[in-house]
């Protein structure tokens, strides 16, 4: 009888999916981790919208020198939060929040046009599994990556003003290739509730790959017609999803 009870409890836990941390206070902190190639300044409109709704928003500026360094930079910001946080990752930032999101004060995760790796996977593993449309990723002689400026607007930011896309193409944040080759150890989505925004016109990450990763993680999916730069072209949709996650985690 006792074995049956244990089995039923285990099955119920699997069916319910990740339950996350239990907090006595509402989730009012939002920590955003930008991806490769673009820095955190592109999140200004999302920042403004969430701040206007009473959230405390912090944008991490990871060094992009290694996954370990980027996770450490994220945890440094998480340590400064007073109370629970929603941790948001874009693109390669999804790799970072997957590893950093096991911190005790992370209530849940929001993936925005992002990678959602499992244990033992690297970004390059996932990108090769379901290739993106872009063919413009290039490497410097010391193994840092960038997107060919000639392809940047079409493949990263097709739905923002041309002058903004041009500036982004020439102000890229180059990630170390080694960061894309580093395996995830403990995926936070296995112990935290998560949401995934899928940019349907994304050419930097295949939308089908995002759908598959979200399904595997049990994330709540939301599809938005946008490029990889959805945080800039559709800031209201991104802010609404983050707010929804925080509200759900506060119930």
């Amino acid at each position: 009888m006792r074995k049956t009870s244990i089995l039923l409890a285990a099955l119920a836990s699997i069916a319910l999916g990740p339950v996350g941390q239990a907090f006595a206070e509402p989730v009012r902190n939002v920590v955003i981790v930008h991806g490769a190639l673009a820095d955190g300044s592109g999140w200004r409109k999302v920042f403004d919208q969430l701040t206007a709704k009473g959230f405390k928003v912090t944008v991490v500026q990871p060094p992009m020198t290694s996954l370990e360094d980027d996770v450490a930079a994220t945890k440094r910001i998480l340590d400064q939060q007073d109370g629970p946080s929603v941790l948001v990752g874009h693109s390669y930032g999804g790799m970072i929040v997957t590893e950093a999101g096991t911190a005790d004060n992370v209530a849940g995760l929001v993936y925005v046009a992002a990678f959602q790796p499992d244990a033992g996977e690297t970004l390059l593993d996932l990108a090769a599994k379901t290739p993106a449309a872009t063919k413009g990723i290039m490497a410097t002689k010391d193994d840092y990556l960038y997107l060919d400026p000639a392809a940047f607007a079409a493949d990263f930011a097709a739905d923002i003003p041309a002058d903004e896309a041009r500036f982004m193409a020439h102000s890229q944040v180059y990630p170390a290739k080694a960061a894309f080759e580093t395996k995830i150890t403990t995926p936070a989505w296995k112990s935290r509730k998560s949401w995934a925004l899928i940019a349907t016109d994304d050419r930097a990450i295949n939308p089908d790959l995002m759908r598959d990763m979200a399904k595997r993680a049990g994330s709540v999916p939301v599809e938005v017609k946008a490029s990889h730069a959805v945080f800039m072209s559709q800031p209201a949709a991104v802010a609404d999803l983050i707010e929804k996650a925080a509200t759900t985690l506060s119930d």
Side-chain angles (χ1 to χ4, degrees), residues 84-171:
S85 300
V86 173
L87 186 58
V88 182
H90 172 252
S91 194
Y92 164 64
M95 305 292 294
I96 301 171
V97 304
T98 295
E99 193 73 23
T102 56
D104 289 341
N105 63 341
V106 173
L109 306 165
V110 177
Y111 292 88
V112 177
F115 289 98
Q116 285 184 258
D118 202 347
E121 291 180 337
T122 70
L123 185 152
L124 293 183
D125 290 336
L126 290 167
K129 178 181 178 182
T130 310
T134 185
K135 306 298 180 187
I137 297 296
M138 308 178 81
T140 64
K141 61 183 179 181
D142 59 345
D143 281 333
Y144 277 74
L145 304 177
Y146 65 99
L147 180 57
D148 182 355
F152 195 98
D155 289 353
F156 193 101
D159 51 358
I160 69 171
D163 60 338
E164 291 186 38
R166 184 166 52 252
F167 176 77
M168 292 176 71
H170 294 281
S171 61

Side-chain angles (χ1 to χ4, degrees), residues 91-92 113-115 130 132-133 199 202-207 209-210 213 228:
S91 194
Y92 164 64
F115 289 98
T130 310
D202 201 320
R203 291 178 56 84
I205 303 178
N206 192 309
L209 175 60
M210 285 188 270
M213 292 185 294
H228 195 57

Side-chain angles (χ1 to χ4, degrees), residues 9-206:
L11 290 173
S13 176
I14 293 171
L16 289 171
V19 296
Q21 299 287 88
F23 296 98
E25 55 192 302
V27 179
R28 304 305 297 170
N29 298 313
V30 176
V31 174
I32 297 169
V33 183
H34 69 76
L37 310 178
D39 67 17
S41 63
W43 286 82
R44 177 62 187 270
K45 291 181 181 178
V46 175
F47 175 96
D48 288 346
Q49 291 190 30
L50 290 172
T51 300
K53 294 179 179 181
F55 290 96
K56 176 193 173 187
V57 185
T58 309
V59 181
V60 181
Q61 299 280 25
M64 300 283 165
T65 47
S66 70
L67 181 60
E68 182 181 15
D69 288 346
D70 297 337
V71 169
T74 302
K75 288 186 173 179
R76 193 173 301 125
I77 298 301
L78 286 169
D79 285 346
Q80 296 176 358
Q81 306 308 305
D82 181 14
S85 300
V86 173
L87 186 58
V88 182
H90 172 252
S91 194
Y92 164 64
M95 305 292 294
I96 301 171
V97 304
T98 295
E99 193 73 23
T102 56
D104 289 341
N105 63 341
V106 173
L109 306 165
V110 177
Y111 292 88
V112 177
F115 289 98
Q116 285 184 258
D118 202 347
E121 291 180 337
T122 70
L123 185 152
L124 293 183
D125 290 336
L126 290 167
K129 178 181 178 182
T130 310
T134 185
K135 306 298 180 187
I137 297 296
M138 308 178 81
T140 64
K141 61 183 179 181
D142 59 345
D143 281 333
Y144 277 74
L145 304 177
Y146 65 99
L147 180 57
D148 182 355
F152 195 98
D155 289 353
F156 193 101
D159 51 358
I160 69 171
D163 60 338
E164 291 186 38
R166 184 166 52 252
F167 176 77
M168 292 176 71
H170 294 281
S171 61
Q172 294 184 48
V173 178
Y174 288 32
K177 183 182 177 185
F180 287 15
E181 297 172 332
T182 302
K183 295 180 179 180
I184 293 296
T185 59
T186 307
W189 52 258
K190 290 190 174 181
S191 58
R192 303 292 191 278
K193 290 181 179 179
S194 60
W195 288 256
L197 187 151
I198 297 157
T200 61
D201 294 342
D202 201 320
R203 291 178 56 84
I205 303 178
N206 192 309

